[in-house]
Amino acid sequence: MLPSSREITFHTAISAASIVNESTLQIIDNQCHLHKIDLNELKVIKNAPLSVLPQNDLFDYYKRPFTVGKNLAYISFAQQGTEYVIDTQSKIVPLSTFHYNQHDVVTKAAFSENDLLLITGNERGRSYILSPEDGTIQANLPIASDSISAVTLSEEYHLSAYASFSHELVVYKTNSFKVVFKQKIDSVIEMMLFVDDQTLLAITRNGKIIKIDLAKGKVLQEMVLDQNVWPSVMVLSHSKKFVYVGTRESLLFAVYVKTLDILYQVKLPYYGVTTLSRTQNYFIMGFKTGEILFFNHREHEEQFITYIKLRQIKEACLIFQKNIFLNVTS
């Protein structure tokens, strides 16, 4: 069912990943090392520590005090009370330094798509939106009553969101400093993302995917992926028609955004999906056990498309059995 793949193995969990461009992937591992990977040759071309302090903590799905964007990385150390945004383009040097989460553990952080904004959330329910370039606060979001469990940003739509362990979900309009949606969900939200300026997708720890209409201020649809899975990461397809969900149990789901129907699910070969990324050539997955898999998600594509055009459905289905990504390559 899965297409051919290549892999690179590290000695610790993969914690964050970001596509720089079609030729470069950068990741941060659980020991706070940055690795750059050449996607043409599938080899590591840079390896640099982001901290002089050893990071030997056990991997924690909930507490991710570092993240990576296209050309920037963010790291936070509660014991130091210092946060850094690091330029990863050439020399690994701090671009800005700040202390907004001083003495509080940062639980989640994320860059916006083009690295123009950074959102952080900490164990005391505080969430900040910052300018990575100079570390200035762009918004201080309303305080949640428990630790932040998920954060997301959309600079295109001027929207940000956080969720907490008290089940609170808040969506904030960053250019008008207004809360546009606030509601308690029936479970802890693990992750979320904006599909467009009116739609937020969220996934809870009990395997439920939720679609929220921000204009109407209500939950539009809910669907349980599987009561026995614990979702860990999600990513939209390039067309935004599909969303992929990875789980701690190493299952991958493909879901149609419009209806929340499951297109397929597949068991992956390594334990605990921690990152999902896509380029035109590869579907890239990182795992808790340290592997990164590069699936050739366009394998057999031309033959598949030809059979579809000729309405030779049986033949197309046989090709699909060799590469289940073919139905959702857009």
Side-chain angles (χ1 to χ4, degrees), residues 44-281:
V44 178
I45 55 175
K46 178 175 281 190
N47 182 337
L50 296 178
S51 169
V52 295
L53 298 177
Q55 300 298 311
N56 297 315
D57 295 338
L58 293 175
F59 179 82
D60 192 329
Y61 283 98
Y62 285 131
K63 295 179 182 178
R64 307 271 195 109
F66 32 80
T67 190
V68 64
K70 286 189 174 182
N71 297 300
L72 301 174
Y74 164 83
I75 58 174
S76 171
F77 302 106
Q79 68 270 32
Q80 292 178 288
T82 306
E83 302 165 78
Y84 303 92
V85 171
I86 296 170
D87 185 344
T88 62
Q89 292 184 71
S90 51
K91 295 181 179 179
I92 309 300
V93 295
L95 183 67
S96 59
T97 304
F98 40 93
H99 305 82
Y100 303 120
N101 289 287
Q102 191 169 10
H103 308 307
D104 295 328
V105 174
V106 172
T107 52
K108 292 294 167 67
F111 286 103
S112 58
E113 184 177 354
N114 293 314
D115 291 351
L116 296 181
L117 293 171
L118 168 72
I119 185 170
T120 66
N122 69 32
E123 62 184 351
R124 294 186 182 272
R126 291 188 175 274
S127 188
Y128 304 101
I129 299 173
L130 307 131
S131 167
E133 185 175 351
D134 58 12
T136 57
I137 289 183
Q138 304 300 300
N140 188 343
L141 276 61
I143 301 174
S145 57
D146 206 338
S147 179
I148 300 298
S149 63
V151 292
T152 190
L153 275 171
S154 173
E155 64 194 37
E156 179 182 0
Y157 308 122
H158 303 287
L159 292 171
S160 59
Y162 72 76
S164 74
F165 278 88
S166 55
H167 300 189
E168 296 164 276
L169 169 60
V170 171
V171 180
Y172 192 79
K173 192 81 170 177
T174 52
N175 61 344
S176 62
F177 305 104
K178 290 174 59 178
V179 172
V180 296
F181 181 88
K182 185 175 182 180
Q183 187 171 316
K184 280 212 168 188
I185 306 299
D186 61 5
S187 183
V188 174
I189 291 175
E190 293 281 340
M191 68 217 106
M192 52 195 172
L193 52 79
F194 293 104
V195 178
D196 52 41
D197 62 346
Q198 294 187 353
T199 310
L200 179 73
L201 286 181
I203 294 186
T204 64
R205 66 186 301 175
N206 58 1
K208 182 187 292 184
I209 185 166
I210 301 169
K211 184 159 64 173
I212 297 167
D213 187 314
L214 300 175
K216 295 180 179 178
K218 67 177 184 179
V219 173
L220 276 185
Q221 292 173 274
E222 297 183 3
M223 188 273 296
V224 176
L225 293 171
D226 186 327
Q227 292 182 338
N228 299 311
V229 301
W230 196 325
S232 54
V233 65
M234 68 191 295
V235 66
L236 280 172
S237 68
H238 294 310
S239 67
K240 298 187 177 182
K241 293 180 181 178
F242 310 100
V243 63
Y244 302 93
V245 182
T247 70
R248 299 186 185 197
E249 297 79 12
S250 298
L251 284 173
L252 176 74
F253 294 85
V255 178
Y256 190 37
V257 170
K258 186 175 182 180
T259 62
L260 298 189
D261 290 330
I262 298 175
L263 280 75
Y264 59 77
Q265 67 181 73
V266 62
K267 181 71 174 179
L268 298 169
Y270 298 114
Y271 182 72
V273 187
T274 59
T275 66
L276 294 174
S277 308
R278 283 171 56 85
T279 69
Q280 294 299 324
N281 296 318

Side-chain angles (χ1 to χ4, degrees), residues 300-320:
H300 311 300
E301 183 180 51
E302 290 185 9
Q303 192 175 9
F304 180 75
I305 291 173
T306 298
Y307 283 140
I308 293 294
K309 288 180 178 178
L310 295 174
R311 298 182 183 276
Q312 296 179 1
I313 304 304
K314 181 178 179 181
E315 290 80 1
C317 288
L318 291 174
I319 296 297
F320 176 68

